[in-house]
């Protein structure tokens, strides 16, 4: 059964730092992987979606990479800002037509 | 922009009540999903639907049912609410059945069962 792990559970950094959030999954046969952001008490906001045939996706200061063979994805945030403080979740889809399987998230705090 | 709207942000109900949570999306999406989110347990899938009147059980369907009479609306029903169903409930939708497109979420309903 596919399992998704995000380590660390929490991370604190000063403003301006570049940082990497990690996501690992146990079965490398995935259909795609999606990164989300969740602000306290709110729903999830989609950040990036990487298909299984892709190696990375970029949106502004965010870059997500995918290495299926090692069962890993990273979310790179450049020049972090206090507004980036949130919980970041990754989720994998094992096959077409199936639901996402979520990690438990990394809570990021960026201090000014 | 995709808009997924959940009818209530906060809801308080009593044990044994029948509870309806409503979700509407405005982008003609095929798939709709209901999750619950609990501290330490993350997001868990309750039910999903890939077409009108179609439904599939997720990981934790016990104590819940769903209804999708129209494409844009997906309802979650707690048949007889219990205190262990106190949680944050999140609705989501995605465009295609295969899942090539991103999944979009509503703002959530924080449900308390007393």
């Amino acid at each position: 059964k596919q399992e998704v792990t995000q380590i660390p559970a929490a991370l604190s950094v000063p403003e301006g730092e570049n940082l990497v959030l990690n996501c690992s999954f146990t079965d490398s046969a995935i259909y795609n992987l999606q990164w989300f952001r969740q602000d306290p008490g709110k729903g999830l906001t989609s950040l990036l979606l990487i298909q299984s045939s892709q190696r990375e996706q970029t949106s502004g200061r965010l870059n997500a990479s995918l290495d299926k063979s090692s069962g890993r994805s990273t979310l790179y945030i450049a020049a972090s800002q206090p507004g980036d403080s949130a919980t970041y979740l990754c989720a994998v889809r094992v096959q077409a037509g199936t639901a996402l399987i979520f990690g438990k998230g990394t809570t990021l705090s960026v201090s000014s | 922009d995709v808009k997924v709207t959940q009818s209530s942000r906060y809801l308080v109900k009593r044990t044994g009540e029948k509870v309806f949570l409503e979700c509407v999306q405005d982008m003609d999406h095929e798939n709709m999903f209901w999750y619950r989110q609990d501290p330490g347990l993350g997001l868990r899938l309750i039910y999903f639907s890939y077409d009108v009147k179609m439904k599939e059980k997720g990981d934790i369907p016990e104590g819940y049912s769903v209804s999708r009479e129209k494409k844009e609306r997906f309802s979650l029903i707690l048949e007889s609410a219990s205190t262990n169903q106190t949680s944050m409930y999140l609705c989501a939708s995605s465009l295609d059945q295969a899942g090539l497109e991103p999944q979009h979420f509503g703002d959530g309903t924080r449900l308390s069962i007393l």
Side-chain angles (χ1 to χ4, degrees):
Chain A
K1 181 183 175 183
Q2 179 74 268
E3 292 184 2
V4 181
T5 303
Q6 294 184 249
I7 296 173
L11 183 63
S12 293
V13 300
E15 182 177 7
E17 198 162 294
N18 302 324
L19 59 102
V20 173
L21 304 181
N22 297 299
C23 172
S24 61
F25 42 95
T26 53
D27 188 339
S28 61
I30 65 168
Y31 187 71
N32 55 31
L33 182 147
Q34 193 168 355
W35 280 94
F36 295 89
R37 168 190 173 134
Q38 185 176 30
D39 293 297
K42 296 290 188 67
L44 280 65
T45 300
S46 177
L47 297 174
L48 292 162
L49 172 68
I50 310 177
Q51 305 298 341
S52 62
S53 59
Q54 297 174 322
R55 294 301 299 264
E56 64 178 331
Q57 283 284 338
T58 298
S59 175
R61 293 183 295 110
L62 305 179
N63 176 278
S65 67
L66 175 64
D67 183 345
K68 280 199 326 176
S69 62
S70 66
R72 296 178 66 178
S73 176
T74 61
L75 180 67
Y76 174 82
I77 303 177
S80 59
Q81 303 170 358
D84 295 329
S85 298
T87 296
Y88 292 81
L89 297 108
C90 75
V92 302
R93 180 172 281 105
V94 175
Q95 301 177 15
T98 61
L100 289 169
I101 300 170
F102 282 84
K104 293 182 180 177
T106 295
T107 298
L108 173 65
S109 176
V110 182
S111 56
S112 56
Chain B
D1 271 359
V2 176
K3 185 70 173 176
V4 179
T5 302
Q6 295 184 230
S7 54
S8 305
R9 289 299 309 280
Y10 302 94
L11 206 53
V12 180
K13 297 292 182 180
R14 297 207 173 272
T15 303
E17 278 192 68
K18 191 170 186 176
V19 181
F20 293 85
L21 303 184
E22 306 287 346
C23 176
V24 176
Q25 48 91 5
D26 66 354
M27 288 300 291
D28 201 34
H29 282 182
E30 299 288 337
N31 290 350
M32 296 189 74
F33 307 83
W34 276 107
Y35 297 86
R36 63 178 282 177
Q37 185 177 30
D38 301 287
L41 297 177
L43 273 87
R44 293 179 292 170
L45 181 67
I46 305 172
Y47 268 98
F48 67 102
S49 167
Y50 52 87
D51 202 352
V52 175
K53 297 191 186 294
M54 304 300 289
K55 61 184 179 184
E56 293 283 343
K57 292 181 179 179
D59 298 321
I60 51 164
E62 296 78 19
Y64 303 93
S65 63
V66 291
S67 172
R68 194 166 181 201
E69 296 295 319
K70 294 184 178 181
K71 193 174 187 179
E72 67 270 19
R73 185 179 298 269
F74 192 35
S75 302
L76 180 69
I77 303 156
L78 285 66
E79 297 291 344
S80 177
S82 63
T83 55
N84 62 13
Q85 292 178 309
T86 291
S87 186
M88 174 71 136
Y89 289 87
L90 292 163
C91 174
S93 71
S94 63
L95 177 64
D96 61 312
Q97 291 189 10
L100 281 170
E101 296 295 320
Q103 201 165 115
H104 298 273
F105 281 77
D107 281 340
T109 295
R110 187 164 294 282
L111 175 65
S112 296
I113 307 296
L114 304 180

